[in-house]
């Protein structure tokens, strides 16, 4: 964790969005910073609280808390701390997303948290700290849930992702569009997963190998990439040893010496050659999905408008393209208007009835409205089920269906069970086997 000093509650009479009191911060420098930026910290706290994240994000001094423990926990997630001989503004909290370890690797999960939580907050930082000169960096510490299961048992654990950007890179990252440039910024930053240095690789299944615990200073990492308006200052040096430069696979960009996509003894030419071979056989990338999104955005907007009225689309999750198992799927989120009695039904029965009685009758019309794109592999449909109680809790059922069996189903060539057998069904991120007749 990013260490913090002893904190005390500071808030108005309404006890909302608490912030640390300068009088109770240890160390004269941190105390002075807390006093100088107190107004901005409170305003940033309000800004984060108003943001819409894919899942609930709760700022907190302590990370790794279960949702039931978060409401009463210390929610002062903004504080100045010392970390690796630098003064940073730490932003920490618990993200109530539960990622399936069978579907997403560590690197893919870290990518999701970076995109879901860190980037939106990075985007608003310049508004509150336009030209800070008295601290060094911005740090993020986010805890999230990871589900693992076997045939015999299931287990839900936690991961903690830490990223530390110097100020210039923190402001530059959300403005940069090129993935190679963003990768360069990450290489010049500090990244840790569960307390260990981590070679976060954007848009990839696996991380880069981190061979040196103390990364050396990047050697002219921006010399071979297109210049952006915001400069990329070099990362603070913590070792004087210089390692030979290595190219980022698939690009002409030099990779910081602390990150190695292959073994250290391999030559730069061998790395470049192997990466080119891999690139020629790899499936679509996140950039491909984003490009398809941009190309077909007018059709998606029209689908979203019609879907709200006809297909029970939720407004906060418009249709979008995403990767699943290295293929591009159209993501749709629908709300099932029929509530379930949670105590009287199993997850399997709810999954079966949500498909048979709600989603299946809509699939033919949904497929007819789906943009015609050669790159599209199928539909990834999330159905949100509500429970018939006084609570606002819900359940997310995800049906990931390839296009070929979807078309067969729409043409009455196969049954609903045949379609399910060729699809992936997840309940709150956990894959299940579903026999529709057996559980009805």
């Amino acid at each position: 964790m990013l260490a913090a000093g002893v904190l005390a509650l500071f808030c108005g009479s309404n006890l909302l969005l608490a912030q640390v009191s300068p009088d109770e911060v240890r160390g004269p420098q941190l105390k002075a910073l807390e006093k100088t930026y107190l107004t901005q910290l409170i305003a940033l706290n309000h800004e984060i609280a108003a943001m819409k994240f894919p899942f609930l994000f709760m700022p907190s001094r302590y990370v790794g808390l279960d949702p039931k423990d978060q409401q009463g926990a210390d929610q002062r997630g903004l504080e100045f701390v010392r970390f690796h001989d630098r003064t940073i503004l730490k932003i920490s909290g618990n993200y109530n997303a539960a990622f399936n370890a069978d579907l997403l690797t560590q690197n893919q999960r870290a990518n999701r948290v970076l995109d879901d939580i860190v980037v939106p907050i990075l985007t608003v930082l310049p508004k509150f700290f336009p030209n800070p000169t008295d601290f060094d960096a911005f740090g993020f510490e986010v805890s999230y849930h990871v589900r693992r299961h076997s045939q015999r048992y299931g287990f839900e654990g936690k991961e903690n992702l830490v990223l530390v950007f110097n100020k210039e890179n923190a402001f530059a990252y959300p403005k940069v569009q090129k993935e190679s440039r963003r990768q360069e910024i990450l290489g010049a930053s500090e990244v840790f997963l569960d307390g260990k240095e981590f070679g976060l690789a954007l848009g990839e299944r696996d991380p880069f190998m981190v061979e040196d615990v103390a990364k050396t200073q990047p050697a002219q990492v921006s010399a071979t990439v297109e210049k952006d308006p915001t400069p990329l200052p070099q990362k603070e040096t913590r070792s004087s040893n210089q390692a030979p430069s290595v190219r980022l696979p698939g690009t002409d960009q030099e990779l910081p010496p602390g990150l190695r996509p292959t073994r250290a003894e391999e030559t730069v030419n061998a790395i470049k050659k192997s990466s080119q071979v891999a690139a020629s056989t790899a499936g679509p990338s996140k950039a491909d999905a984003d490009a398809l999104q941009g190309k077909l955005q007018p059709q998606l907007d029209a689908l979203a408008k019609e879907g709200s009225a006809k297909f029970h689309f939720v407004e906060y999750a418009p249709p979008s393209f995403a990767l699943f198992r290295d293929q591009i799927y159209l993501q749709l989120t629908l709300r099932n208007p029929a509530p379930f009695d949670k105590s009287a039904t199993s997850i399997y029965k709810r999954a079966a009835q949500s498909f048979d009685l709600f989603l299946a009758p809509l699939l033919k019309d949904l497929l007819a409205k789906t943009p015609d794109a050669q790159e599209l592999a199928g539909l990834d449909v999330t159905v949100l089920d509500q429970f018939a109680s006084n609570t606002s809790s819900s359940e997310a059922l995800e049906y990931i269906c390839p296009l070929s069996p979807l078309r067969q189903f729409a043409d009455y060539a196969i049954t609903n069970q045949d379609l399910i057998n060729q699809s992936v069904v997840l309940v709150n991120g956990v894959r299940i086997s579903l026999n529709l007749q057996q559980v009805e």
Side-chain angles (χ1 to χ4, degrees):
M1 285 189 179
L2 302 180
V6 175
L7 304 177
L9 190 65
F10 175 85
C11 57
S13 58
N14 292 328
L15 298 177
L16 295 176
L17 298 175
Q19 185 55 48
V20 179
S21 167
D23 293 335
E24 298 178 271
V25 174
R26 288 182 176 178
Q29 182 189 15
L30 299 180
K31 185 188 296 287
L33 284 170
E34 197 73 31
K35 184 176 181 179
T36 300
Y37 291 106
L38 184 59
T39 301
Q40 291 95 319
L41 293 174
I42 294 174
L44 177 57
N45 215 336
H46 279 271
E47 184 88 7
I48 294 174
M51 287 182 173
K52 302 297 183 183
F53 300 104
F55 298 93
L56 179 65
F57 175 69
M58 292 286 289
S60 177
R61 178 189 176 191
Y62 302 104
V63 299
L65 301 179
D66 289 326
K68 62 183 178 62
D69 299 323
Q70 292 174 15
Q71 290 295 333
D74 188 341
Q75 296 183 16
R76 295 168 296 176
L78 307 179
E79 54 184 308
F80 287 101
V81 299
R82 294 287 296 171
F83 183 69
H84 288 171
D85 298 323
R86 291 195 288 175
T87 300
I88 72 169
L89 174 59
K90 176 179 74 74
I91 302 167
S92 60
N94 297 286
Y95 185 36
N96 290 343
F99 299 117
N100 189 333
D102 294 332
L103 301 178
L104 297 175
T105 66
Q106 272 194 330
N107 189 69
Q108 290 170 327
R109 297 192 293 269
N111 269 266
R112 286 281 298 273
V113 174
L114 172 62
D115 291 340
D116 288 357
I117 302 297
V118 177
V119 173
I121 297 177
L122 284 175
T123 302
V124 303
L125 288 180
K127 179 165 64 173
F128 303 99
F129 306 94
N131 188 28
T133 59
D134 39 8
F135 63 95
D136 303 308
F138 294 95
F140 293 83
E141 183 179 23
V142 182
S143 176
Y144 48 94
H145 299 256
V146 179
R147 290 177 174 171
R148 297 176 174 85
H149 64 279
S150 67
Q151 294 180 345
R152 302 181 64 180
Y153 66 91
F155 172 75
E156 182 169 307
K158 300 179 182 70
E159 284 179 346
N160 292 341
L161 177 67
V162 171
L163 301 102
V164 181
F165 301 87
N166 68 30
K167 293 172 295 186
E168 293 83 0
N169 289 346
F171 294 158
Y173 190 92
K175 299 178 182 178
V176 171
Q177 299 302 315
K178 294 181 63 175
E179 187 172 283
S180 61
R181 176 69 166 167
R182 286 190 165 192
Q183 186 68 65
E184 182 185 1
I185 291 177
L186 286 178
S189 304
E190 294 186 83
V191 184
F192 300 87
L193 189 66
D194 288 340
K196 299 179 180 179
E197 278 198 293
F198 188 72
L200 180 57
L202 295 177
E204 299 295 334
R205 174 180 174 81
D206 299 313
F208 295 118
M209 295 178 61
V210 180
E211 296 180 349
D212 304 321
V213 175
K215 295 179 185 177
T216 57
Q217 186 174 5
Q220 301 298 324
V221 295
S222 61
T224 59
V225 299
E226 181 178 308
K227 297 292 183 179
D228 281 304
T230 308
L232 177 69
Q234 293 178 335
K235 179 180 175 180
E236 179 178 304
T237 303
R238 289 195 283 137
S239 170
S240 59
N241 298 325
Q242 293 294 322
S245 63
V246 180
R247 300 286 183 182
L248 181 65
T251 74
D252 289 329
Q253 174 194 348
E254 290 186 0
L255 191 65
L259 302 179
R260 294 293 186 268
T262 55
R263 296 189 303 272
E265 64 268 22
E266 290 182 309
T267 65
V268 173
N269 288 336
I271 293 174
K272 188 172 182 180
K273 180 179 179 181
S274 63
S275 66
Q276 289 172 342
V277 172
S280 66
T281 59
S285 65
K286 183 178 182 299
D288 295 323
D290 291 343
L292 187 62
Q293 177 94 17
K295 176 183 175 182
L296 299 177
Q297 191 61 57
Q299 296 182 51
L300 297 181
D301 291 341
L303 175 59
K305 184 176 181 179
E306 183 174 359
S308 297
K310 186 176 180 180
F311 301 119
H312 304 280
F313 283 11
V314 298
E315 293 183 358
Y316 60 82
S320 62
F321 292 108
L323 292 181
F324 176 73
R325 292 180 176 172
D326 297 325
Q327 291 184 301
I328 297 177
Y329 280 73
L330 176 61
Q331 289 186 324
L332 306 171
T333 303
L334 289 64
R335 188 178 302 279
N336 186 353
F340 284 96
D341 184 346
K342 187 175 183 180
S343 62
T345 56
S346 68
I347 60 172
Y348 301 97
K349 186 169 186 175
R350 294 192 294 272
Q353 291 187 348
S354 294
F355 182 80
D356 277 346
L357 304 180
F358 174 64
L359 180 58
L362 300 175
L363 282 177
K364 185 172 184 177
D365 289 340
L366 275 175
L367 197 58
K369 300 294 183 181
T370 299
D372 186 13
Q374 184 178 0
E375 304 94 327
L376 188 62
L379 298 183
D380 180 348
V381 184
T382 296
V383 175
L384 301 178
D385 280 345
Q386 303 297 314
F387 296 124
S389 65
N390 293 328
T391 138
S392 61
S393 61
S394 62
E395 186 172 63
L397 310 173
E398 193 171 358
Y399 305 90
I400 306 172
C401 309
L403 270 184
S404 178
L406 269 174
R407 289 169 176 151
Q408 290 178 305
F409 179 73
D411 291 337
Y412 313 108
I414 62 174
T415 67
N416 51 359
Q417 186 64 59
D418 293 329
L419 175 58
I420 288 292
N421 291 344
Q422 299 178 64
S423 304
V424 173
V425 181
L426 308 175
V427 179
N428 290 336
V430 177
R431 184 172 183 178
I432 64 169
S433 176
L434 187 59
N435 187 314
L436 298 172
Q437 290 183 333
Q438 184 175 4
V439 298
E440 286 284 5

